[in-house]
């Protein structure tokens, strides 16, 4: 029996299992929080009882952090060059040399409470893209729980733009379907199935020819996006065993968003750029593309969990026994940075969004449990994937706290004997110096960020431009408040089995 | 089209960073712990010294050589890479009496020093009973009233009742002295001695209650011998005390490593009170405030 036919394939949480499986899955759910809290509490324990050992650990960790920063900056810089190059390539000319006319693009646009302008901007960007619109299938996926208002907007959009595309479908995801969690996953899965039945099957469009792009509703594509995507699909070896991942920029409203929001958004972009250079560590995130054949094969996105964007990768990974990858497009799509009517609301929304993303830790038990159950995944792949996943969530929740806060603990808790050692005096000095060196990575970040900013608007002032550069001094703050703490928050909830629901990031335009 | 680096190349880059880590971590750790290469390229343990002085412009001399200087941004100086031997430390600041101490620096340990620099010129200012307003009206000086009140009692506000004090060697209540408390340190005159007690957390015991390695600490120490009339803390410090004998008023430190720095502030036979970082003295029925004025030139200490 294939793993995708097993009862574990679409598992969302431990409570959906029984007996020993449930116990194992529950323990795996606790693992990310256990590792993170274990590290933080161990550092406190060591600082009190074995301050010398704690100081040595912290200095070693500082060096690890410095080298990690340099290592990641190398990949960031490399992807920056690749992305800039890809944005200058004439992708239409590239695919012209290939047989490409059969490839169709299905774009699923789920929305909940977003206004017409946001949805309209998305559609307009699709129309501006240099691709054959008759080959495009637009699926505007509304939520039934939003009532007739959402449907009215969708119908209005369809009336205005529907004829421009090959196919245009409006779907209404029914509310309160048993076994489903209200959220993007259940909506786009419903929409994809509707599109299959009402468009692909009716018009005899082969599933193999359709690439499905699941976009957040604020996604704005650059003009060559679909050509670039098509080229990668047509040139990738075994293209149905792959998802296709663009780089999310948050440029739609970047000049309006406050500095903290920009830094958090920019950091997210950088992380995705770095991951693009490490394909074996890259999984689908936010707006992404998957061949319909593959999507149908794995049963669409999971409907019973929050992080459907990354889970679809893991579904396919296990369905094909580890033979699945994410192809880095190194080509951007643009989305909204967090922005709310007030500064405080913006901060609150950033925190909630980061926590939702950090809730991706719910994939850890799914992956590790899958490794136990699916014996066909190669052992080395199991080991490396386990390490990458655990290290990733552990780093997110602990590293910033250890670097910027816990590094001083041995001095506070170490007692008088430790505090009279040369080591205790050198600890803050060595930490400070290594951190200053690590901050050099910020220069790379600032330059990369500036190079991708959209054109200056009329309202932009010189001060705003200067702030775009200076804002990176907030990094130590943002990686703690909008990185480590929401990461710990999410992992702690998972640890205690307080499962999170889907939270829709509110969109606001000035 | 440009592609991501091949996995083999990425592996090599990762391996390179691992090698750099393994190469540098022992060097950084040995450096942090206090090891240095000497002239013969032998790894040798060193120590350090931390001299805390919260004002800028204090020069720190080790064995007569200027080592460092406090600045606006650094309230103390950390002198590292010191051979583990005895150092003669002198701290000088223009207008203040120098502070001198012989301090032993241990291997991989940092010796601390908290110099107290007394202005070279200590004057007095009368606290008048009445002051004249701009209007020409004479009114009672509130400071005078406060000072009179200070001297009206035999103890200051910070004092604790005698019965609460337990001698270090027994639980006998001491009946002949008054203890003054500041930041977990108590001082009192015990017969012909000034004694200090550490009343705080054992783990926070100040170094002057401990041996050089801070492994053995007592909660009591003898500060000075003599015929003392009164004792209190020096303004703003809990490791420096003021005391009077029939000869005058003196300041000395609790740090007993080598000879304590002791300075005579004023000659005469009088009482004094320290209040809110100000020192008042009483001579017969007149009250004065001690004025610590920094002179513009370095003056030799009036050490006794």
């Amino acid at each position: 029996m294939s793993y995708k036919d097993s009862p574990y394939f679409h598992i969302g949480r431990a409570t959906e299992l029984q007996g020993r499986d449930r116990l194992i899955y529950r323990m795996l759910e606790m693992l990310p929080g256990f590792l993170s809290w274990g590290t933080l509490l161990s550092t406190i324990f060591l600082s009190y009882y074995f301050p010398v050992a704690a100081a040595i650990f912290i200095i070693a960790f500082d060096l690890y952090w410095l080298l990690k920063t340099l290592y990641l900056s190398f990949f960031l810089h490399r992807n920056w060059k690749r992305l800039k190059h890809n944005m200058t390539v004439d992708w239409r000319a590239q695919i012209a040399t290939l047989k490409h006319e059969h490839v169709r693009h299905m774009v699923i646009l789920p929305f909940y409470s977003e206004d017409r302008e946001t949805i309209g901007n998305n559609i307009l960007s699709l129309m501006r893209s240099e691709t054959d619109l008759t080959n495009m299938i637009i699926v505007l996926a509304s939520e039934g729980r939003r009532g007739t208002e959402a449907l009215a907007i969708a119908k209005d959009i369809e009336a205005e733009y529907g004829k421009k595309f090959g196919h245009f479908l409006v779907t209404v995801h029914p509310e309160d379907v048993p076994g489903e969690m209200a959220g993007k996953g259940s909506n786009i899965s419903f929409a994809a199935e509707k599109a299959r039945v009402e468009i692909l099957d009716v018009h005899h469009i082969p599933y193999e020819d359709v690439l499905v792009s699941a976009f957040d509703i604020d996604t704005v594509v650059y003009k060559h996006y679909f050509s670039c995507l098509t080229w990668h699909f047509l040139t990738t070896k075994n293209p149905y065993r792959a998802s296709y991942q663009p780089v999310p920029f948050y440029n739609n409203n970047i000049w309006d968003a406050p500095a903290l929001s920009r830094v958090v958004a920019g950091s997210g972009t950088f992380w995705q750029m770095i991951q693009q250079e490490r394909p074996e560590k890259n999984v689908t995130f936010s707006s992404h593309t998957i061949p319909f054949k593959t999507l149908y094969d794995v049963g669409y996105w999971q409907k019973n969990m929050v992080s459907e964007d990354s889970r679809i990768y893991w579904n396919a990974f296990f369905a094909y026994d580890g033979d699945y990858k994410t192809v880095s497009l190194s080509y951007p799509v643009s989305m909204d940075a967090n922005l709310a009517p007030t500064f405080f609301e913006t901060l609150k929304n950033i925190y909630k969004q980061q926590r939702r993303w950090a809730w991706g830790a719910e994939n850890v038990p799914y992956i590790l449990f899958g490794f136990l159950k699916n014996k066909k995944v190669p052992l080395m792949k199991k080991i490396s994937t386990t390490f990458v996943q655990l290290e990733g969530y552990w780093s997110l929740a602990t590293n910033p706290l250890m670097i910027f806060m816990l590094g001083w603990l041995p001095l506070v808790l170490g007692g008088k004997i430790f505090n009279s050692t040369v080591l205790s005096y050198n600890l803050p000095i060595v930490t400070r110096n290594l951190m200053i060196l690590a901050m050099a990575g910020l220069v790379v970040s600032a330059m990369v960020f500036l190079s991708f900013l959209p054109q200056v608007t009329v309202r932009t002032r010189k001060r705003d431009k200067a702030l775009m550069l200076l804002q990176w001094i907030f990094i130590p703050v943002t990686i703690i408040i909008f990185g480590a703490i929401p990461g710990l928050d999410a992992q702690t909830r998972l640890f205690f089995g307080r499962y999170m629901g889907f939270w829709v990031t509110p969109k606001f335009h000035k | 089209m440009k592609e991501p680096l091949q996995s083999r190349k990425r592996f090599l880059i990762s391996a390179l960073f691992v090698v750099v880590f393994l190469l540098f971590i022992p060097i950084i750790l040995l450096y942090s712990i206090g090891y240095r290469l000497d002239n013969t390229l032998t790894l040798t343990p060193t120590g350090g010294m931390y001299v805390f002085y919260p004002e800028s412009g204090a020069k720190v001399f080790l064995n007569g050589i200027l080592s460092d200087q406090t600045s606006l941004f650094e309230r103390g100086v950390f002198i590292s890479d010191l051979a583990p031997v005895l150092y003669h430390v002198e701290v000088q600041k223009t207008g203040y009496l120098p502070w001198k101490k012989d301090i032993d620096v241990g291997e991989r340990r940092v010796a601390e020093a908290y110099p107290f620099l007394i202005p070279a010129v200590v004057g007095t200012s009368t606290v008048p009973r009445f002051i004249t307003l701009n209007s020409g009206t004479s009114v009672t000086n509130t400071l005078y009233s406060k000072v009179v009140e200070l001297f009206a009692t035999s103890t200051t506000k910070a004092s604790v009742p005698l019965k609460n004090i337990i001698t270090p060697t027994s639980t006998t209540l001491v009946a002949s002295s008054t203890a003054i408390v500041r930041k977990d340190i108590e001082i009192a005159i015990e017969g012909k001695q000034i004694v200090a007690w550490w009343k705080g957390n054992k783990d926070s015991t100040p170094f002057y209650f401990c041996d050089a390695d801070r492994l053995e600490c007592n909660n009591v120490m003898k500060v000075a011998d003599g015929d003392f009339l009164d004792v209190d803390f020096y303004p703003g410090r809990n490791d420096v005390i003021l005391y009077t004998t029939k000869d005058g008023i003196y300041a000395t430190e609790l740090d007993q490593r080598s000879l304590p720095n002791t300075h005579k502030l004023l000659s005469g036979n009088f009482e004094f009170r320290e209040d809110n970082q100000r020192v008042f003295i009483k001579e017969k029925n007149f009250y004065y405030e001690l004025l610590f004025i920094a002179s513009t030139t370095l003056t030799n200490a009036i050490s006794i």
Side-chain angles (χ1 to χ4, degrees), chain A residues 71 78 280 416 420 422 426, chain B residues 3 10 14 108-110:
Chain A
Y71 177 75
R78 199 182 147 74
E280 75 282 352
K416 65 182 191 304
S420 66
V422 171
N426 277 332
Chain B
E3 292 295 322
R10 272 182 280 126
S14 305
R108 300 183 301 276
R109 300 222 154 259
V110 175

Side-chain angles (χ1 to χ4, degrees), chain B residues 121-129 141-144 146-148 150-151 235 242 249 265-266 270-283 285-293:
Chain B
V121 178
V122 177
T124 57
S125 163
T126 306
V127 180
R129 185 169 188 174
N141 183 2
T142 52
L143 177 63
Y144 180 87
K146 186 180 172 185
V147 172
V148 170
L150 278 175
F151 281 92
L242 295 170
I249 181 166
L265 303 181
L266 210 60
F270 30 63
E271 294 178 61
F272 78 97
R273 294 284 183 275
E274 193 272 345
D275 182 66
N276 201 19
Q277 306 220 15
R278 297 168 83 175
V279 178
F280 300 98
I281 56 175
K282 179 184 177 188
E283 189 176 35
N285 286 325
F286 295 98
Y287 299 96
Y288 305 90
E289 180 178 1
L290 279 187
L291 299 176
F292 298 93
I293 305 162

Side-chain angles (χ1 to χ4, degrees), chain B residues 30-31 34-46:
Chain B
L30 286 170
Y31 175 88
Y35 283 93
R36 301 291 183 272
L37 286 177
D38 65 12
N39 294 335
T40 61
L41 294 180
T42 309
L43 210 54
T44 320
T46 65

Side-chain angles (χ1 to χ4, degrees), chain A residues 48 56 59-60 63-64 67 70-71 74-75 78 81-82 85-86 89 91 94 231-232 276-280 328 415-417 419-423 425-426 429-430 434, chain B residues 1-5 7 10 13-14 17 20-21 24-25 28-29 31-34 36 46-48 50 78 108-112 202-205 210 213-215 217:
Chain A
Y48 189 79
I56 288 172
I59 289 171
L63 182 63
Y64 157 78
L67 293 174
L70 295 175
Y71 177 75
F74 167 79
F75 287 112
R78 199 182 147 74
K81 290 203 302 189
R82 207 151 70 84
H85 169 79
N86 283 356
V89 170
W91 290 99
Q94 293 296 324
W231 186 89
H232 279 90
Q276 294 260 321
E277 295 301 305
R278 307 187 296 172
E280 75 282 352
S328 307
K416 65 182 191 304
I417 295 175
N419 283 334
S420 66
T421 61
V422 171
L423 180 61
Y425 278 83
N426 277 332
I429 296 170
V430 171
L434 291 175
Chain B
M1 292 302 125
K2 291 182 177 175
E3 292 295 322
L5 281 177
S7 59
R10 272 182 280 126
I13 292 170
S14 305
F17 275 89
V20 171
F21 179 84
F24 276 89
I25 195 62
I28 293 175
L29 283 178
Y31 175 88
S32 303
I33 291 167
R36 301 291 183 272
T46 65
Y50 181 72
F78 174 52
R108 300 183 301 276
R109 300 222 154 259
V110 175
E112 295 171 43
K202 194 178 175 187
D203 286 339
S204 310
T205 312
C210 305
D213 291 331
R214 303 187 76 164
L215 295 173
C217 298

Side-chain angles (χ1 to χ4, degrees), chain A residues 65-66 69-70 72-73 76 263 266-267 270 404 435-450 468-479:
Chain A
W65 173 273
L66 168 64
T69 304
L70 295 175
L72 296 179
S73 294
L76 175 63
V263 170
S267 302
F270 296 155
F404 294 107
M435 285 311 98
I436 288 171
L437 288 173
M439 288 299 152
L442 286 184
V443 178
V444 178
S445 306
M447 300 312 292
V448 170
F449 186 81
L450 284 179
M468 286 285 176
L469 202 61
L470 293 174
Q471 67 193 13
W472 294 99
I473 60 171
F474 290 126
I475 274 282
V477 177
T478 58
I479 62 172

Side-chain angles (χ1 to χ4, degrees), chain A residues 246-311:
Chain A
V247 176
F249 282 2
Y250 297 90
N251 279 350
N252 292 356
N253 57 350
I254 199 74
W255 290 106
D256 294 328
L260 282 174
S261 177
R262 295 196 301 261
V263 170
V264 174
S267 302
T269 298
F270 296 155
W271 180 247
Q272 290 302 318
M273 288 173 71
I274 290 163
Q275 295 300 76
Q276 294 260 321
E277 295 301 305
R278 307 187 296 172
E280 75 282 352
K281 293 179 178 162
N282 201 7
V283 299
T284 41
F285 169 78
S286 190
S287 295
H288 61 276
T289 299
I290 181 170
F292 189 89
K293 177 181 181 294
T294 310
L295 184 65
Y296 183 67
D297 202 23
V298 301
Y300 304 120
W301 293 272
Q302 266 190 236
K303 303 166 187 172
N304 54 350
M305 42 92 70
V306 175
S307 314
E308 92 297 328
D309 53 348
S310 48
R311 178 59 65 85

